Amino acid sequence: MSQNLRVKSSNFIDETSRISFKFNGKTYYGFKGDTLASALLANDIHLVGRSFKYHRPRGIMTSGSEEPNAIVQVGNDKAITEPNVRATEVEIYNGLEAKSQNCWPSVNFDIGGINNFLSPLLPAGFYYKTFMWPASFWEKYEIAIRHSAGLGRSPTKPDTDIYEHRYIHCDVLVIGAGISGIMAAKTAAKNNLNTLLLDEKNELGGMTIYQNSEKFKIDNKISSEWLNDEIEELKKLDNLEIKTRTSVAAYHGYNYLLARENLTDHLSKDEKENKVRQRLLKIRAKKVIVATGSLERPLVFNNNDRPGIMLSSAVKKYADYYGVICGKNNIFFTNNDTAYESAISLLKKGINVHCIIDIRENSNSSIVKEAQDLGLKIYWSHTIVDTHGYKRLKQISIMELSKDGQSFANSNKIVLDCDCLGMSGGWTPAVHLFTQSGGKLKFREKDQVFIPNKYPSEQVSIGSCNGDFELDEIIKNSSDILKDFLKIEKTGFDNMNVETSKETSKKNIWLLPSDKIVGKTKPFVDYQNDATAKDIKLALREGFRSIEHVKRYTTTGMGTDQGKLGNMHALGIIADTTGVKMGEVGTTTFRPPYTPLTFGTIVGRNVGEYFDIFRRTPMNDWHINNNAEFENVGQWKRAWYYPRGNESMYEAVQRESKATRESAGILDASTLGKIDIQGSDASEFLNRVYTNAWSKLGIGKCRYGLMLNEDGMVYDDGVTTRLGENHYIMTTTTGGAANVLSKLEDYLQTEWPELDVYLTSVTDHFATATIGGPNSKKILNKLIPDLDLSDENFPHMSFKEEKIGKINCRIMRISFTGELSYEINIQASYGKSLWEQCMDAGKEFNITPYGTETMHLLRAEKGFIIVGQDTDGTMTPIDLQMDWVVSKKKYDFIGKRSLYRSDTMREDRKQMVGLLTDDPNTVLEEGAQIISELDQTPVKMLGHVTSSYFSPNLGKSIALAVVKGGKNMMGKKLFIPMEDKTINVTVVDPIFLDKENKKLNA
Amino acid sequence: MINKYSIFSLIKNAFSYHENWQKAWNDPQPKKEYDAVIVGGGGHGLATAYYLAKKHNMKNIAVVEKGWIGGGNTGRNTTIIRSNYLWDASAGLYDHALKIWEGLSQELNYNVMFSQRGVMNLAHNLQDVRDLKRRTHANRLNGIDAVYLSTEEVKKFCPIINTSTDIRYPVLGGTLQRRAGTARHDAVAWGYARGADEMGVDIIQNCEVKGIKRNGDSVEGIETTKGFIKTKKIGVVAAGHSSVIANMAGLRLPLESKPLQALVSEPVKPIIDTVVMSNAVHAYVSQSDKGELVIGAGTDDYVSYSQKGSHQIVEGTLNAILELYPIFSRMRMLRQWGGIVDICPDASPILSKTSVKGLYFNCGWGTGGFKATPGSGDLFAHTIANDEPHKLNAAFNLNRFVSGDLVDEHGAAAVAH
Amino acid sequence: MFLINCPYCGERDQSEFIAGGEAHIERPKQPTELSDDEWAEYLFMRKNIKGIQFERWNHAHGCRKWFNMIRDTSNDEIKLIYKMGEKPPKG
Amino acid sequence: MLNYTSPIKEVKKYSGLTVSEISPLMKLNLRGKSRDFLTTIGQNINIILPLEANTSASSENYTAIWLSPDEWMLVSNRTVNKENNDYEIEKLLFNKISKTNLGSVTDVSDQLVMINLNGEKIFDLLCTGSPFNFNDFRSIKGSSTQTLLAQIDVIIHHNQINSVNLFVRRSFSEHLMSWINDSASRL
């Protein structure tokens, strides 16, 4: 492939290392240091993509992250292909494959191009006005719309790359390593502040680093040379961290910023191997210095979007930095001096520049003079009225502007040949991050820019993002601002000797006139979304006034470039059309991120097993070795059931629950929350947080407690044991543990600071093995032979502090199954061993490990509730028929008052009942609704089934349910209407088994 | 109807280069007095005005908006529309809205792009399964088209969901409401504004309410930045700012205004053609007609009117998105923003009279108000016109916080996105 | 992300804290004496101020202490932090 | 005879970092506000409980880490016997503090697992998962903090140069170790 479009003399391109890459299936070559854009241009390729709406051919417009047109799909691999990548940001590497988007069959011949001819029918918001008839057709229309919309394609396989986070805390963060950023970083670091310098490019130095013009000198050195020396010194400083290829995405309050550090996207496949692709930097800076520079503005004129039409600064950068000639026949179109720098730079490289078209009457700045001295033809007060060439710019037509710039001095039209047009509409300070942080802007009339006004945090903006565009101003003002901001005497950049070319005249026309009526023209404001000036005018005509409305109606600024180029023109056109002052139209809010941020980067390592924490009990390994299935309970992994061979869950649960009631079962209850309560007011504290009374509970005794919210609804429950006069251990539900502790701490610290009570979580300190069933006593006896297990010495609802071997443990005789049952709590490190010994001791009794599912079944047989399954935040203890646990005597407890509101006292509230199906083998579906009459409309739902199982011990199906007025429905027939059938049930007492609690003392 | 929208008017106007389109709505100055004033020019407020004029023949009314119509939560939400709510009262309210959505584009002659692409809710643990089944049964008996799906059916309906069993919180099932879907948020505000304006409603933008004038226990008018406006009926539909207006009238509401965030990805060709909501891991995603993935994040736990939220919320949401859709890892966040949502203790709205005669509140929609827009407007208009709630919004009165008869939608229902 | 100056631990990232809503709503000493309306006021009604709001925060992932914060809810600017039990400054 | 099982099986070595669990250790949670409480502790274990936030104090046998104005963690400097879990000091303090209502003493030996990080890359690891600002912390021996690491509550104690002890609740320890190993593998 020929590189005839290269000029030598670029310090930034390594012409010795040739790199091959594919674009739209064809192989090309570039050099190390090229971006995809520069390499394509070097291969004389301008046509890169198609626009969003009209599918117009589009080329490369810029040389940076503001690129609206040249966005491509990178990579073919289903897992790592990436849509909407800016060709101007891709550094080429061997094996790079990219292709054009939003075109079919190819970018050269795109069927969608027909939209360009339908465009008269597709003005702003056309879709709000049509596709309504017939109503049923909208879905068909929509499918078509969706397929023509969208740009690139999403990957279809999981990402194989790794992303990471890093928290950074620094004294000073400098954003942007252009000339002012370099000054700032050096000054901060030299003043012993730990400093972080970030730049989105792969090289430091911004635009100055390739500024070779003799017109711009600092300390008598050409500005680029001076800056180079500064950078060399900078790199030697030790308390400075420099990160390139790092773009700040978001600037939040309290100087919290997010930046994306790109680590491997510029590397070839084998170079990337096992490297982190991108890192999200979470930066907390004491001070922030924003030096994000400015963006060159395009000009808005008819057909200003053809491939070959670029920003003048881009044409310059491609020549000076990449050594690439963008066109053989270049013309510049400008309203300021920038284009002259570009033109001169090209001329000096021997690149043909035909002329400059300048909408200004004249200018006598030294740079303009230089251009004239070089014999460059300048068309003063002329404008382009149209451009020609479909897939590549061929010609432009220009006319002389009238004085007011709104029409023409005469009807002469000059047509000029031109394959590359460099346009410059002046510069827009990059204030995006500043405004994201909450900063307020002010409008500067003289050059029509918004610049920082009020800072919301410890930050400053310096350089051109602060509205300083002339080299001498940049250096002087930056130095002054730094002194003040960092509270230092001097920066080392004080009174430098700077030579520059001052801009002497300015003129700005947001929408340049055409000889055609606006309706016939296409002056693009937002290139990517095909929003034109006439769309904006249409929106205004239809009554949309606010910039936000216009933006939304025309989609201006909604593209992947977020309107970096076009937003100012949109504002300008609105101001001109409505006669409102530009400063009063207001800006649209710039929302994070500054440039699009990969989801993977935001997520970092919080994927797969790190998506959420998992918690395991000390017995976990045993469960795994014994084929347990696990259930997620909150963050816990709990043994759910232990299938033997190819048992189904149902079979396993039937076996486990039968074995437990007939002989012995064992449950890992380690996940229950445990709170150690000490202090002289411990009893009073419990009186206030539980619905029942605690003062009289004997030492060594256990009691069930129910905890409410202040709104009277059941919140948590569990057994609490009195270990000593002022010492209790409270157990909570597994899921509720953390919330209960923080709720109780809250009351102690904020409502009852007078109480002498201390709460300490010991959930993880103890492993808990619950052995239950008629033979549990015998098993415990084998473990602790000298412990008297008689009901006299160790009755139900009591506790013993014992030793197993030499290890202390706490044993509670409590039961959630209705069986004789002991809960052994031991220091966690001995939990696994305890469990194994229980299994050994229980072998002769066929002790059967059971999981949460069997536990649920067993407690349901006894009518014990599970908070969160049988309750849903709308049940009072009365609704649950648990009046027995609610003290009438106590003056107050959390939630008591709410129980006495008119609606919480109603008799017809939903109340907990038991249900039996007429057919004992029919097991109800949990969640099924309950009704009292068939075929009524509307259907009156009385409640729903909360828990339902087939009970092997009763040989029939049982269920718990909440039913309106259920308390008074004992024996009543009700119906469960399913999709396919209706199930007949009878309301019964929720305690299905052993009402007399004989088994507890069996 | 003047200036009727259709493909024909579009073609007709194309010949005049679209120079002759009329204003979608006017920009009037406030009159001295109105029969009713709606405070808040969002979707709900504009819909209220529209139905007051259309169904209750109240034409001398105004909507006052402190900024630009549709500029609040209407223009900031993730546009999910569904009615598969648990409790009868909620189901009635939201399905009333859904029925109006189904003919709204035609009624307004404005394409609100209501797209019934279905909404799927996923279950990730056993209690989720119980809750979703409970909700599905209730929906069915309330005449709402909800079905329960097995994991395989979930995968079939949306193949890009990661349904493998070895992820942290595997998908155990889900529900699907096919009539549910999304709509174009801006179009809803603009369509109602255009419709209301045409019936003579004054839509007054950039007009901030500064005070509410009371005479004893009834209202006399409002102080605004555009002067005093006399009126006997004030309907406040100010979403996040409801409490601020209430304080002007000397009332307190059971509301907290919190930041709710959302984000969109860059546009890509169609990849997901339904709406998937996962309450347990907090991931809500759909794809807009433009091709952007539209993702709803959660609320922060503190009160804020800054329209900014904390990054941890966005990060948490995207964690969940990649857990369920690992293929989206290389998609890029294009825009992120925040809204101010007014949340009730029971996650249900307030559509109610107040202790002040002539003062009505429509608020507390929390994170899920958009879906109710047409129904909310219709029922609130009824409430204002008749000084009496419609039976469908009777349950959503203010007194429920006193009597304890809450309509608690967090317990078993999904977060109301 | 706020940077919150815990009165006990010093400046920490917001992720270490949880917010606890409006401050200085004291739990009635004698709830049973209150009317349903008064109880509802305590239970549910909030000022929900736009502007200077007094609120409670908890350093949940640090010292677990609750404290008070004065914050401008219109721009999230933290004005003052003071310990639980301390009286809010006047004016 | 019950056997002792620690949740973390092996020692892991990475470039500039070694990760290992140290057990068994005695750990007590001490709560109290009064001067008597402080003096009683001081007299019985001759450590003056640190009153300054984010600090610790050590004696020959014990280290006391500040957790909050009325809360400290007392850790034994040396491992204790696996054969039994009777801690004399616990009994002593329980009797002198809890029994006398001066405050509370709670055994949390197995509530928290102690993971030792050793090497010059400790803070490179921590900053990949913790929002805490270690800039000063890393230069002060004995500094301590409670914060989040990989979204898990941890107590971090800078016990000596290039050595940090992480205390994490036992049920989280396996997950945290897995996360540490993953992150450390890229140091």
Side-chain angles (χ1 to χ4, degrees), chain D residues 26 28 62 85-95:
Chain D
M26 183 209 69
L28 298 181
Y62 303 105
N85 60 345
D86 284 316
Y87 310 126
E88 287 317 315
I89 195 73
E90 177 204 358
K91 287 204 177 61
L92 174 72
L93 291 179
F94 188 82
N95 290 327

Side-chain angles (χ1 to χ4, degrees), chain A residues 716-781:
Chain A
D716 201 76
D717 69 344
V719 169
T720 294
T721 302
R722 188 167 198 171
L723 302 171
E725 179 58 28
N726 300 319
H727 190 190
Y728 292 82
I729 177 100
M730 170 190 283
T731 55
T732 73
T733 60
T734 297
N739 297 339
V740 168
L741 180 61
S742 74
K743 175 188 165 97
L744 298 184
E745 269 293 338
D746 187 351
Y747 274 91
L748 269 180
Q749 289 181 35
T750 64
E751 299 296 347
W752 308 322
E754 72 280 6
L755 293 186
D756 171 38
V757 175
Y758 296 101
L759 307 176
T760 309
S761 169
V762 289
T763 301
D764 297 35
H765 178 67
F766 289 104
T768 307
T770 303
I771 51 175
N775 288 319
S776 54
K777 189 179 279 184
K778 302 200 186 82
I779 295 165
L780 184 58
N781 179 258

Side-chain angles (χ1 to χ4, degrees), chain A residues 100-173:
Chain A
S100 301
Q101 303 182 150
N102 202 36
C103 52
W104 184 85
S106 80
V107 70
N108 272 300
F109 178 73
D110 175 18
I111 294 292
I114 189 161
N115 287 8
N116 191 33
F117 303 100
L118 294 177
S119 62
L121 295 180
L122 313 174
F126 71 93
Y127 31 77
Y128 299 126
K129 293 174 176 160
T130 179
F131 303 125
M132 286 177 281
W133 308 93
S136 58
F137 271 45
W138 165 241
E139 289 185 8
K140 315 250 180 325
Y141 296 131
E142 192 184 28
I143 291 166
I145 290 175
R146 284 180 166 256
H147 281 269
S148 64
L151 292 166
R153 299 191 177 280
S154 160
T156 50
K157 285 207 159 29
D159 197 347
T160 49
D161 275 319
I162 290 182
Y163 304 82
E164 216 173 50
H165 289 170
R166 186 179 150 201
Y167 291 83
I168 300 181
H169 301 260
C170 59
D171 295 330
V172 176
L173 168 66

